[in-house]
PDB file of all heavy atoms in Angstrom:
ATOM      1  N   TYR A   1      32.317  22.507  16.379  1.00 98.00           N
ATOM      2  CA  TYR A   1      33.423  21.972  15.573  1.00 98.00           C
ATOM      3  C   TYR A   1      33.369  22.508  14.145  1.00 98.00           C
ATOM      4  O   TYR A   1      34.417  22.681  13.508  1.00 98.00           O
ATOM      5  CB  TYR A   1      33.394  20.448  15.597  1.00 98.00           C
ATOM      6  CG  TYR A   1      33.861  19.872  16.912  1.00 98.00           C
ATOM      7  CD1 TYR A   1      32.974  19.672  17.956  1.00 98.00           C
ATOM      8  CD2 TYR A   1      35.198  19.544  17.124  1.00 98.00           C
ATOM      9  CE1 TYR A   1      33.398  19.158  19.181  1.00 98.00           C
ATOM     10  CE2 TYR A   1      35.640  19.024  18.333  1.00 98.00           C
ATOM     11  CZ  TYR A   1      34.726  18.843  19.363  1.00 98.00           C
ATOM     12  OH  TYR A   1      35.161  18.337  20.569  1.00 98.00           O
ATOM     13  N   LEU A   2      32.170  22.781  13.634  1.00 98.00           N
ATOM     14  CA  LEU A   2      32.066  23.421  12.327  1.00 98.00           C
ATOM     15  C   LEU A   2      32.682  24.815  12.372  1.00 98.00           C
ATOM     16  O   LEU A   2      33.405  25.218  11.448  1.00 98.00           O
ATOM     17  CB  LEU A   2      30.600  23.512  11.896  1.00 98.00           C
ATOM     18  CG  LEU A   2      29.952  22.225  11.407  1.00 98.00           C
ATOM     19  CD1 LEU A   2      28.446  22.432  11.213  1.00 98.00           C
ATOM     20  CD2 LEU A   2      30.583  21.754  10.098  1.00 98.00           C
ATOM     21  N   VAL A   3      32.403  25.556  13.437  1.00 98.00           N
ATOM     22  CA  VAL A   3      33.002  26.882  13.587  1.00 98.00           C
ATOM     23  C   VAL A   3      34.524  26.768  13.621  1.00 98.00           C
ATOM     24  O   VAL A   3      35.237  27.512  12.935  1.00 98.00           O
ATOM     25  CB  VAL A   3      32.470  27.568  14.859  1.00 98.00           C
ATOM     26  CG1 VAL A   3      33.304  28.812  15.191  1.00 98.00           C
ATOM     27  CG2 VAL A   3      31.005  27.952  14.690  1.00 98.00           C
ATOM     28  N   ASP A   4      35.038  25.834  14.404  1.00 97.00           N
ATOM     29  CA  ASP A   4      36.491  25.617  14.459  1.00 97.00           C
ATOM     30  C   ASP A   4      37.067  25.342  13.079  1.00 97.00           C
ATOM     31  O   ASP A   4      38.064  25.957  12.664  1.00 97.00           O
ATOM     32  CB  ASP A   4      36.803  24.410  15.357  1.00 97.00           C
ATOM     33  CG  ASP A   4      37.076  24.794  16.794  1.00 97.00           C
ATOM     34  OD1 ASP A   4      37.220  25.994  17.080  1.00 97.00           O
ATOM     35  OD2 ASP A   4      37.125  23.884  17.632  1.00 97.00           O
ATOM     36  N   ALA A   5      36.460  24.382  12.387  1.00 98.00           N
ATOM     37  CA  ALA A   5      37.003  23.955  11.096  1.00 98.00           C
ATOM     38  C   ALA A   5      36.953  25.084  10.073  1.00 98.00           C
ATOM     39  O   ALA A   5      37.886  25.260   9.274  1.00 98.00           O
ATOM     40  CB  ALA A   5      36.239  22.735  10.584  1.00 98.00           C
ATOM     41  N   LEU A   6      35.875  25.864  10.083  1.00 98.00           N
ATOM     42  CA  LEU A   6      35.768  26.986   9.154  1.00 98.00           C
ATOM     43  C   LEU A   6      36.830  28.041   9.442  1.00 98.00           C
ATOM     44  O   LEU A   6      37.526  28.523   8.527  1.00 98.00           O
ATOM     45  CB  LEU A   6      34.372  27.606   9.242  1.00 98.00           C
ATOM     46  CG  LEU A   6      33.238  26.797   8.620  1.00 98.00           C
ATOM     47  CD1 LEU A   6      31.888  27.339   9.061  1.00 98.00           C
ATOM     48  CD2 LEU A   6      33.329  26.801   7.094  1.00 98.00           C
ATOM     49  N   LEU A   7      36.966  28.414  10.715  1.00 98.00           N
ATOM     50  CA  LEU A   7      37.956  29.433  11.076  1.00 98.00           C
ATOM     51  C   LEU A   7      39.372  28.956  10.774  1.00 98.00           C
ATOM     52  O   LEU A   7      40.195  29.714  10.246  1.00 98.00           O
ATOM     53  CB  LEU A   7      37.818  29.786  12.553  1.00 98.00           C
ATOM     54  CG  LEU A   7      36.580  30.616  12.928  1.00 98.00           C
ATOM     55  CD1 LEU A   7      36.434  30.685  14.444  1.00 98.00           C
ATOM     56  CD2 LEU A   7      36.659  32.019  12.334  1.00 98.00           C
ATOM     57  N   ASP A   8      39.657  27.705  11.092  1.00 98.00           N
ATOM     58  CA  ASP A   8      41.006  27.179  10.867  1.00 98.00           C
ATOM     59  C   ASP A   8      41.344  27.108   9.379  1.00 98.00           C
ATOM     60  O   ASP A   8      42.527  27.123   9.013  1.00 98.00           O
ATOM     61  CB  ASP A   8      41.151  25.803  11.511  1.00 98.00           C
ATOM     62  CG  ASP A   8      41.111  25.860  13.038  1.00 98.00           C
ATOM     63  OD1 ASP A   8      41.228  26.971  13.590  1.00 98.00           O
ATOM     64  OD2 ASP A   8      40.927  24.797  13.668  1.00 98.00           O
ATOM     65  N   ALA A   9      40.300  27.012   8.538  1.00 97.00           N
ATOM     66  CA  ALA A   9      40.532  26.982   7.089  1.00 97.00           C
ATOM     67  C   ALA A   9      40.505  28.377   6.466  1.00 97.00           C
ATOM     68  O   ALA A   9      40.611  28.508   5.244  1.00 97.00           O
ATOM     69  CB  ALA A   9      39.480  26.093   6.410  1.00 97.00           C
ATOM     70  N   GLY A  10      40.342  29.407   7.298  1.00 97.00           N
ATOM     71  CA  GLY A  10      40.371  30.771   6.791  1.00 97.00           C
ATOM     72  C   GLY A  10      39.038  31.323   6.331  1.00 97.00           C
ATOM     73  O   GLY A  10      38.987  32.391   5.702  1.00 97.00           O
ATOM     74  N   HIS A  11      37.936  30.623   6.637  1.00 98.00           N
ATOM     75  CA  HIS A  11      36.611  31.103   6.255  1.00 98.00           C
ATOM     76  C   HIS A  11      36.025  32.031   7.328  1.00 98.00           C
ATOM     77  O   HIS A  11      36.568  32.135   8.438  1.00 98.00           O
ATOM     78  CB  HIS A  11      35.675  29.925   6.015  1.00 98.00           C
ATOM     79  CG  HIS A  11      36.141  28.991   4.931  1.00 98.00           C
ATOM     80  ND1 HIS A  11      36.371  29.406   3.637  1.00 98.00           N
ATOM     81  CD2 HIS A  11      36.424  27.657   4.957  1.00 98.00           C
ATOM     82  CE1 HIS A  11      36.774  28.383   2.910  1.00 98.00           C
ATOM     83  NE2 HIS A  11      36.825  27.304   3.692  1.00 98.00           N
ATOM     84  N   GLU A  12      34.911  32.683   7.005  1.00 98.00           N
ATOM     85  CA  GLU A  12      34.270  33.628   7.921  1.00 98.00           C
ATOM     86  C   GLU A  12      32.880  33.110   8.307  1.00 98.00           C
ATOM     87  O   GLU A  12      31.950  33.207   7.513  1.00 98.00           O
ATOM     88  CB  GLU A  12      34.135  35.001   7.254  1.00 98.00           C
ATOM     89  CG  GLU A  12      35.445  35.641   6.845  1.00 98.00           C
ATOM     90  CD  GLU A  12      35.224  36.970   6.156  1.00 98.00           C
ATOM     91  OE1 GLU A  12      34.282  37.701   6.541  1.00 98.00           O
ATOM     92  OE2 GLU A  12      35.966  37.272   5.198  1.00 98.00           O
ATOM     93  N   PRO A  13      32.724  32.576   9.520  1.00 98.00           N
ATOM     94  CA  PRO A  13      31.410  32.084   9.935  1.00 98.00           C
ATOM     95  C   PRO A  13      30.470  33.236  10.320  1.00 98.00           C
ATOM     96  O   PRO A  13      30.833  34.120  11.098  1.00 98.00           O
ATOM     97  CB  PRO A  13      31.716  31.213  11.169  1.00 98.00           C
ATOM     98  CG  PRO A  13      33.196  31.010  11.166  1.00 98.00           C
ATOM     99  CD  PRO A  13      33.768  32.212  10.489  1.00 98.00           C
ATOM    100  N   HIS A  14      29.275  33.188   9.757  1.00 98.00           N
ATOM    101  CA  HIS A  14      28.197  34.106  10.134  1.00 98.00           C
ATOM    102  C   HIS A  14      27.107  33.229  10.761  1.00 98.00           C
ATOM    103  O   HIS A  14      26.477  32.428  10.068  1.00 98.00           O
ATOM    104  CB  HIS A  14      27.659  34.845   8.914  1.00 98.00           C
ATOM    105  CG  HIS A  14      28.628  35.837   8.345  1.00 98.00           C
ATOM    106  ND1 HIS A  14      28.340  37.184   8.235  1.00 98.00           N
ATOM    107  CD2 HIS A  14      29.895  35.682   7.876  1.00 98.00           C
ATOM    108  CE1 HIS A  14      29.388  37.804   7.713  1.00 98.00           C
ATOM    109  NE2 HIS A  14      30.332  36.912   7.475  1.00 98.00           N
ATOM    110  N   VAL A  15      26.888  33.382  12.067  1.00 98.00           N
ATOM    111  CA  VAL A  15      26.107  32.404  12.825  1.00 98.00           C
ATOM    112  C   VAL A  15      24.804  33.007  13.315  1.00 98.00           C
ATOM    113  O   VAL A  15      24.785  34.100  13.899  1.00 98.00           O
ATOM    114  CB  VAL A  15      26.916  31.878  14.033  1.00 98.00           C
ATOM    115  CG1 VAL A  15      26.194  30.697  14.670  1.00 98.00           C
ATOM    116  CG2 VAL A  15      28.329  31.467  13.600  1.00 98.00           C
ATOM    117  N   LEU A  16      23.702  32.291  13.076  1.00 98.00           N
ATOM    118  CA  LEU A  16      22.401  32.650  13.650  1.00 98.00           C
ATOM    119  C   LEU A  16      22.359  32.118  15.077  1.00 98.00           C
ATOM    120  O   LEU A  16      22.520  30.916  15.308  1.00 98.00           O
ATOM    121  CB  LEU A  16      21.266  32.047  12.821  1.00 98.00           C
ATOM    122  CG  LEU A  16      19.848  32.390  13.294  1.00 98.00           C
ATOM    123  CD1 LEU A  16      19.561  33.876  13.100  1.00 98.00           C
ATOM    124  CD2 LEU A  16      18.811  31.546  12.548  1.00 98.00           C
ATOM    125  N   VAL A  17      22.156  33.016  16.046  1.00 97.00           N
ATOM    126  CA  VAL A  17      22.185  32.651  17.461  1.00 97.00           C
ATOM    127  C   VAL A  17      20.894  33.111  18.122  1.00 97.00           C
ATOM    128  O   VAL A  17      20.529  34.292  18.025  1.00 97.00           O
ATOM    129  CB  VAL A  17      23.396  33.294  18.171  1.00 97.00           C
ATOM    130  CG1 VAL A  17      23.398  32.946  19.657  1.00 97.00           C
ATOM    131  CG2 VAL A  17      24.699  32.838  17.521  1.00 97.00           C
ATOM    132  N   ARG A  18      20.240  32.186  18.792  1.00 92.00           N
ATOM    133  CA  ARG A  18      19.031  32.566  19.523  1.00 92.00           C
ATOM    134  C   ARG A  18      19.392  33.522  20.656  1.00 92.00           C
ATOM    135  O   ARG A  18      20.385  33.319  21.347  1.00 92.00           O
ATOM    136  CB  ARG A  18      18.352  31.332  20.114  1.00 92.00           C
ATOM    137  CG  ARG A  18      17.637  30.465  19.092  1.00 92.00           C
ATOM    138  CD  ARG A  18      17.101  29.224  19.748  1.00 92.00           C
ATOM    139  NE  ARG A  18      18.173  28.440  20.368  1.00 92.00           N
ATOM    140  CZ  ARG A  18      17.985  27.417  21.178  1.00 92.00           C
ATOM    141  NH1 ARG A  18      16.755  27.050  21.495  1.00 92.00           N
ATOM    142  NH2 ARG A  18      19.005  26.761  21.692  1.00 92.00           N
ATOM    143  N   PRO A  19      18.574  34.552  20.864  1.00 90.00           N
ATOM    144  CA  PRO A  19      18.838  35.462  21.985  1.00 90.00           C
ATOM    145  C   PRO A  19      18.940  34.687  23.302  1.00 90.00           C
ATOM    146  O   PRO A  19      18.107  33.833  23.604  1.00 90.00           O
ATOM    147  CB  PRO A  19      17.606  36.381  21.981  1.00 90.00           C
ATOM    148  CG  PRO A  19      17.139  36.367  20.556  1.00 90.00           C
ATOM    149  CD  PRO A  19      17.401  34.973  20.064  1.00 90.00           C
ATOM    150  N   GLY A  20      19.995  34.976  24.051  1.00 88.00           N
ATOM    151  CA  GLY A  20      20.226  34.256  25.304  1.00 88.00           C
ATOM    152  C   GLY A  20      21.181  33.096  25.164  1.00 88.00           C
ATOM    153  O   GLY A  20      21.604  32.511  26.162  1.00 88.00           O
ATOM    154  N   SER A  21      21.523  32.739  23.914  1.00 90.00           N
ATOM    155  CA  SER A  21      22.439  31.611  23.683  1.00 90.00           C
ATOM    156  C   SER A  21      23.818  32.065  23.211  1.00 90.00           C
ATOM    157  O   SER A  21      24.606  31.241  22.748  1.00 90.00           O
ATOM    158  CB  SER A  21      21.828  30.656  22.644  1.00 90.00           C
ATOM    159  OG  SER A  21      20.637  30.074  23.134  1.00 90.00           O
ATOM    160  N   GLU A  22      24.096  33.339  23.348  1.00 89.00           N
ATOM    161  CA  GLU A  22      25.365  33.857  22.860  1.00 89.00           C
ATOM    162  C   GLU A  22      26.562  33.164  23.519  1.00 89.00           C
ATOM    163  O   GLU A  22      27.592  32.947  22.883  1.00 89.00           O
ATOM    164  CB  GLU A  22      25.452  35.372  23.099  1.00 89.00           C
ATOM    165  CG  GLU A  22      24.436  36.189  22.308  1.00 89.00           C
ATOM    166  CD  GLU A  22      23.079  36.287  23.000  1.00 89.00           C
ATOM    167  OE1 GLU A  22      22.887  35.648  24.069  1.00 89.00           O
ATOM    168  OE2 GLU A  22      22.215  37.003  22.478  1.00 89.00           O
ATOM    169  N   ASN A  23      26.426  32.817  24.791  1.00 92.00           N
ATOM    170  CA  ASN A  23      27.551  32.192  25.497  1.00 92.00           C
ATOM    171  C   ASN A  23      27.800  30.761  25.055  1.00 92.00           C
ATOM    172  O   ASN A  23      28.803  30.154  25.442  1.00 92.00           O
ATOM    173  CB  ASN A  23      27.323  32.233  27.010  1.00 92.00           C
ATOM    174  CG  ASN A  23      26.103  31.435  27.447  1.00 92.00           C
ATOM    175  OD1 ASN A  23      25.193  31.206  26.646  1.00 92.00           O
ATOM    176  ND2 ASN A  23      26.071  31.035  28.702  1.00 92.00           N
ATOM    177  N   LYS A  24      26.902  30.208  24.251  1.00 92.00           N
ATOM    178  CA  LYS A  24      27.085  28.845  23.747  1.00 92.00           C
ATOM    179  C   LYS A  24      27.902  28.809  22.455  1.00 92.00           C
ATOM    180  O   LYS A  24      28.286  27.731  22.001  1.00 92.00           O
ATOM    181  CB  LYS A  24      25.727  28.184  23.491  1.00 92.00           C
ATOM    182  CG  LYS A  24      24.884  27.998  24.746  1.00 92.00           C
ATOM    183  CD  LYS A  24      23.555  27.338  24.406  1.00 92.00           C
ATOM    184  CE  LYS A  24      22.690  27.154  25.640  1.00 92.00           C
ATOM    185  NZ  LYS A  24      21.379  26.532  25.291  1.00 92.00           N
ATOM    186  N   LEU A  25      28.151  29.965  21.862  1.00 94.00           N
ATOM    187  CA  LEU A  25      28.862  30.009  20.584  1.00 94.00           C
ATOM    188  C   LEU A  25      30.359  29.927  20.818  1.00 94.00           C
ATOM    189  O   LEU A  25      30.951  30.778  21.494  1.00 94.00           O
ATOM    190  CB  LEU A  25      28.507  31.282  19.818  1.00 94.00           C
ATOM    191  CG  LEU A  25      29.199  31.460  18.460  1.00 94.00           C
ATOM    192  CD1 LEU A  25      28.849  30.312  17.525  1.00 94.00           C
ATOM    193  CD2 LEU A  25      28.821  32.803  17.843  1.00 94.00           C
ATOM    194  N   HIS A  26      30.980  28.918  20.255  1.00 92.00           N
ATOM    195  CA  HIS A  26      32.417  28.708  20.374  1.00 92.00           C
ATOM    196  C   HIS A  26      33.168  29.738  19.538  1.00 92.00           C
ATOM    197  O   HIS A  26      32.800  30.011  18.399  1.00 92.00           O
ATOM    198  CB  HIS A  26      32.729  27.283  19.893  1.00 92.00           C
ATOM    199  CG  HIS A  26      34.113  26.822  20.147  1.00 92.00           C
ATOM    200  ND1 HIS A  26      34.664  26.712  21.408  1.00 92.00           N
ATOM    201  CD2 HIS A  26      35.098  26.436  19.294  1.00 92.00           C
ATOM    202  CE1 HIS A  26      35.892  26.276  21.322  1.00 92.00           C
ATOM    203  NE2 HIS A  26      36.188  26.101  20.048  1.00 92.00           N
ATOM    204  N   ARG A  27      34.201  30.345  20.129  1.00 94.00           N
ATOM    205  CA  ARG A  27      35.033  31.352  19.448  1.00 94.00           C
ATOM    206  C   ARG A  27      34.172  32.493  18.899  1.00 94.00           C
ATOM    207  O   ARG A  27      34.331  32.948  17.763  1.00 94.00           O
ATOM    208  CB  ARG A  27      35.881  30.694  18.356  1.00 94.00           C
ATOM    209  CG  ARG A  27      36.870  29.676  18.917  1.00 94.00           C
ATOM    210  CD  ARG A  27      37.542  28.826  17.861  1.00 94.00           C
ATOM    211  NE  ARG A  27      38.484  29.574  17.035  1.00 94.00           N
ATOM    212  CZ  ARG A  27      39.268  29.015  16.128  1.00 94.00           C
ATOM    213  NH1 ARG A  27      39.242  27.701  15.941  1.00 94.00           N
ATOM    214  NH2 ARG A  27      40.100  29.749  15.396  1.00 94.00           N
ATOM    215  N   ALA A  28      33.268  32.950  19.744  1.00 95.00           N
ATOM    216  CA  ALA A  28      32.296  33.954  19.311  1.00 95.00           C
ATOM    217  C   ALA A  28      32.955  35.228  18.810  1.00 95.00           C
ATOM    218  O   ALA A  28      32.455  35.880  17.875  1.00 95.00           O
ATOM    219  CB  ALA A  28      31.339  34.272  20.464  1.00 95.00           C
ATOM    220  N   SER A  29      34.083  35.611  19.420  1.00 96.00           N
ATOM    221  CA  SER A  29      34.736  36.860  19.025  1.00 96.00           C
ATOM    222  C   SER A  29      35.267  36.819  17.593  1.00 96.00           C
ATOM    223  O   SER A  29      35.560  37.865  17.006  1.00 96.00           O
ATOM    224  CB  SER A  29      35.890  37.185  19.988  1.00 96.00           C
ATOM    225  OG  SER A  29      36.895  36.186  19.916  1.00 96.00           O
TER     226      SER A  29
END
């Protein structure tokens, strides 16, 4: 939901993701 809120407000999320957890990131693209 933080990713959603940041993107919807026009911000750029830079996310630390554990290897193997890439599919857990919402709106990863």
Side-chain angles (χ1 to χ4, degrees):
Y1 286 88
L2 284 172
V3 168
D4 267 350
L6 287 166
L7 288 170
D8 292 346
H11 300 302
E12 300 178 35
H14 291 239
V15 190
L16 182 67
V17 178
R18 286 175 301 169
S21 296
E22 295 85 356
N23 63 337
K24 296 180 181 179
L25 179 60
H26 189 61
R27 297 169 70 174
S29 63

